[in-house]
Amino acid sequence: LGEVMLRRVAYLLLLLLAVAVALTGVCVYRAVNTPDLQIQGDQPDLSLLDGFDYDAALERLGEAVRIRTVSYRSGEVPHPDNFFALHDMLARRYPLTHATLHKELIGKYSLLFYWEGTDKELMPYMLMSHLDVVPVENETLTRWSHEPFAGHIIDGYIYGRGTMDDKLGVCGILEAVEVMIKNGVRPKRSVYLGFGHDEEVNGNFGMSVMVKALKKRDVRLLFALDEGGLISMGSVPGVKDPVALVGVTEKGSVDFRLSVVTPGGHSSMPPVPETPIGILAKAVTELEANPMEPRMEGTLFLFEYLQAQVPFAFRLFVRNLWLFKPFLSPLLSGDGATNAAIRTTFAATMMRGSDKTNSIPAEPSINVNVRIIPGDSIASVEAAIKRTINDPRVVVTPVMSEANEASPISPVQCEQFDFIRRAIKSINPDVHVAPFVMVGGTDAKYLYDITDYVYRFAPFRADKEDLKRFHGINERLAVDDYKRAIQLYYTLLRRADAMEEGKQREWAEQQSRYDSEL
């Protein structure tokens, strides 16, 4: 009997070894035979930009930065004259654009331009940016190396609020249009230029109104390109080369108010066993200890497009997610940036208690900001919060005034995405291009009402230290990046005419392909 058992164990071990060898062979084979989804960039035709005065363009961007178009709260424009001043500056500095394109004021402060093409059978598209910027906190002023609204050009950088986010887009697009008109070039395909005035506070009265106006006119767009992903320098795990990240979706956003209603009282006689703020603290602790389940669909796009660019050991992992996928989530969950790309996140941001140090608040509250991954919803998140906290004393209330569901995922197996990445590659031949999930919000979320093809890309390079400059201290843009940004917008405008998609008679077939892809 002992020999029989030993033989069975031996057979079992041999079987397990054979399975392990087979799995290893399959994994290695798939890693060795990794398809390269990157493309070779072609030489862009920038002949019209020969002799273009990039220094003068930088001065125009600096002038725009000096106009303080700051957004504070949704629905409020405390300094309307600043927006009108920016409108006037753009009209003065880009006179041919304003004389040639149809300009429309939307929501009092947003700008919509329409450049009618010579072939009305071609579907139009939209290039986007925004006019407003976030505030500069007074207590940070001494930490800026240069005055935040001066637009100084120093040591190869232009400094100031809006240089990265996102007056570079406004001025860069207008520079490209202006040079085309100056050289007598009119596109075949019509193009809209959409510049919202309140993107930094959710865009409810700018881009949202603009899209509603276009929808009312039965406008359908071939695609829309807004700000968003950038050229990441060393921030993508396993990839040493620069990666141009094109956002194909963005997370939704909603705030939840957690509150506890109590009689209040004097702090000398606190309630037993917990104070109201203690109850709320426990609720937040539960949320942080029990994150939402990961949803990997959007992030897998990124790894799929970069699988041939990572080291072999990492490629072995990425090419065999059918086997290793359960290990990917814990790996990405350990870093704040990658964790935000794979799941809905909770962040306690504000607390309201008592007005006095010796009073127990009657109704303390905590605000939890939630960023919703595609696949989750406001309703499912609310249910998850209540289930996780599991305390009837805690009242969970969604604040819907500025809430947005997560955006749909735009297609990547289509000419629109290929058109954008080819243009990026032609101006930046050293980069790889990949789709990714935007964890922040943009005006692009509104465009899905008039197109299924919505993409997000900001044409500049940033390493991990540069990322801290977004909405932060010492925001700046490299002079060379602004030069390439103008070239990219110019290339997009010139090449859009040649796109095969977008003829009205082809739209039904294109929509059918998109539905099949979903």
Side-chain angles (χ1 to χ4, degrees):
L1 184 61
E3 291 182 3
V4 172
M5 287 296 296
L6 287 173
R7 279 198 296 269
R8 288 179 178 178
V9 170
Y11 290 148
L12 179 59
L13 290 175
L14 287 173
L15 178 60
L16 291 175
L17 179 62
V19 170
V21 170
L23 285 175
T24 301
V26 170
C27 290
V28 170
Y29 176 82
R30 288 176 57 82
V32 170
N33 294 277
T34 298
D36 190 349
L37 298 185
Q38 294 300 311
I39 55 174
Q40 295 298 318
D42 49 6
Q43 186 67 30
D45 180 4
L46 302 175
S47 56
L48 288 188
L49 292 175
D50 290 343
F52 181 79
D53 192 341
Y54 289 101
D55 290 337
L58 278 164
E59 291 295 339
R60 289 187 283 270
L61 175 58
E63 187 175 354
V65 170
R66 287 190 284 276
I67 303 173
R68 305 187 183 204
T69 49
V70 178
S71 285
Y72 295 94
R73 285 172 292 277
S74 180
E76 298 180 12
V77 182
H79 304 291
D81 288 347
N82 290 355
F83 284 90
F84 296 141
L86 181 57
H87 295 173
D88 292 341
M89 174 259 157
L90 296 177
R92 282 186 287 105
R93 298 307 184 192
Y94 305 103
L96 298 178
T97 299
H98 283 73
T100 305
L101 277 61
H102 177 267
K103 185 180 79 170
E104 188 175 351
L105 208 58
I106 300 289
K108 294 185 180 179
Y109 310 104
S110 294
L111 295 175
L112 174 64
F113 292 90
Y114 176 61
W115 196 1
E116 186 175 84
T118 58
D119 188 348
K120 293 184 179 180
E121 285 296 306
L122 299 178
M123 290 187 69
Y125 63 100
M126 180 182 281
L127 300 180
M128 303 166 59
S129 187
H130 60 87
L131 305 171
D132 62 325
V133 299
V134 296
V136 174
E137 299 174 358
N138 288 332
E139 55 268 28
T140 69
L141 287 174
T142 57
R143 297 164 60 191
W144 281 72
S145 59
H146 306 286
E147 204 280 317
F149 288 100
H152 289 147
I153 302 169
I154 300 172
D155 296 332
Y157 293 92
I158 178 169
Y159 284 80
R161 184 64 87 224
T163 51
M164 300 170 87
D165 184 16
D166 184 31
K167 289 180 178 177
L168 100 100
V170 174
C171 293
I173 292 168
L174 293 177
E175 294 287 352
V177 172
E178 191 81 0
V179 76
M180 287 175 64
I181 299 172
K182 182 179 180 180
N183 286 275
V185 177
R186 181 184 175 188
K188 289 170 57 180
R189 187 185 301 277
S190 300
V191 55
Y192 289 91
L193 312 179
F195 304 141
H197 74 274
D198 61 345
E199 189 273 348
E200 297 293 2
V201 288
N202 208 42
N204 290 326
F205 299 91
M207 188 55 65
S208 175
V209 176
M210 193 180 297
V211 170
K212 289 175 183 175
L214 292 174
K215 186 177 182 181
K216 192 173 181 179
R217 301 167 196 171
D218 295 323
V219 172
R220 290 288 295 174
L221 299 178
L222 177 61
F223 69 90
L225 179 63
D226 195 7
E227 63 163 338
L230 42 73
I231 299 177
S232 172
M233 308 291 288
S235 299
V236 177
V239 183
K240 294 181 180 179
D241 297 329
V243 179
L245 299 170
V246 180
V248 294
T249 183
E250 65 185 62
K251 298 177 78 173
S253 177
V254 64
D255 289 290
F256 283 92
R257 181 175 180 267
L258 310 184
S259 59
V260 176
V261 179
T262 72
H266 198 278
S267 62
S268 63
M269 295 177 290
V272 177
E274 296 169 305
T275 63
I277 289 180
I279 295 171
L280 288 177
K282 182 179 178 181
V284 171
T285 300
E286 286 296 318
L287 290 179
E288 293 179 345
N290 297 278
M292 298 281 288
E293 289 297 313
R295 293 185 178 273
M296 308 292 294
E297 294 84 356
T299 300
L300 292 182
F301 273 141
L302 175 66
F303 288 112
E304 180 182 356
Y305 271 74
L306 296 174
Q307 57 189 354
Q309 281 65 50
V310 298
F312 184 80
F314 196 31
R315 189 185 313 163
L316 192 69
F317 184 83
V318 171
R319 280 288 289 158
N320 294 282
L321 290 177
W322 56 276
L323 181 62
F324 299 123
K325 189 175 179 180
F327 303 100
L328 184 60
S329 173
L331 179 67
L332 298 178
S333 297
D335 177 79
T338 53
N339 179 65
I342 64 171
R343 60 163 46 88
T344 295
T345 57
F346 304 126
T349 56
M350 301 171 67
M351 174 179 280
R352 182 181 179 86
S354 173
D355 294 329
K356 297 183 65 178
T357 59
N358 62 351
S359 295
I360 294 173
E363 192 173 341
S365 63
I366 290 180
N367 185 86
V368 177
N369 183 255
V370 180
R371 298 304 174 109
I372 307 169
I373 199 80
D376 289 339
S377 66
I378 294 173
S380 68
V381 170
E382 181 177 2
I385 290 175
K386 292 178 178 178
R387 184 172 58 250
T388 301
I389 294 175
N390 193 28
D391 188 337
R393 298 172 297 177
V394 178
V395 180
V396 179
T397 307
V399 182
M400 300 301 294
S401 57
E402 297 183 19
N404 297 287
E405 297 283 6
S407 296
I409 298 177
S410 298
V412 294
Q413 300 295 329
C414 62
E415 188 184 8
Q416 288 89 331
F417 182 77
D418 192 58
F419 166 73
I420 292 168
R421 70 173 180 145
R422 285 184 182 279
I424 294 171
K425 185 74 173 179
S426 69
I427 303 300
N428 302 274
D430 62 320
V431 309
H432 307 302
V433 185
F436 90 122
V437 177
M438 280 280 297
V439 298
T442 70
D443 274 342
K445 58 181 172 284
Y446 297 111
L447 270 292
Y448 288 95
D449 281 345
I450 54 176
T451 181
D452 296 309
Y453 301 83
V454 182
Y455 304 97
R456 305 153 181 87
F457 179 68
F460 62 89
R461 301 174 183 230
D463 59 23
K464 290 183 178 180
E465 288 301 310
D466 292 322
L467 294 178
K468 299 175 183 177
R469 302 177 190 273
F470 276 104
H471 293 194
I473 298 168
N474 288 328
E475 182 178 346
R476 70 182 188 182
L477 177 71
V479 169
D480 288 342
D481 280 338
Y482 190 50
K483 178 179 179 179
R484 284 188 289 263
I486 295 170
Q487 294 172 351
L488 174 63
Y489 290 125
Y490 172 82
T491 300
L492 291 167
L493 287 161
R494 293 303 305 272
R495 291 184 176 181
D497 291 346
M499 293 180 69
E500 293 295 326
E501 300 284 9
K503 295 181 179 179
Q504 298 289 350
R505 59 180 176 272
E506 296 175 348
W507 181 247
E509 179 185 353
Q510 183 178 348
Q511 187 65 31
S512 175
R513 286 203 302 275
Y514 173 55
D515 291 340
S516 298
E517 184 178 330
L518 287 183

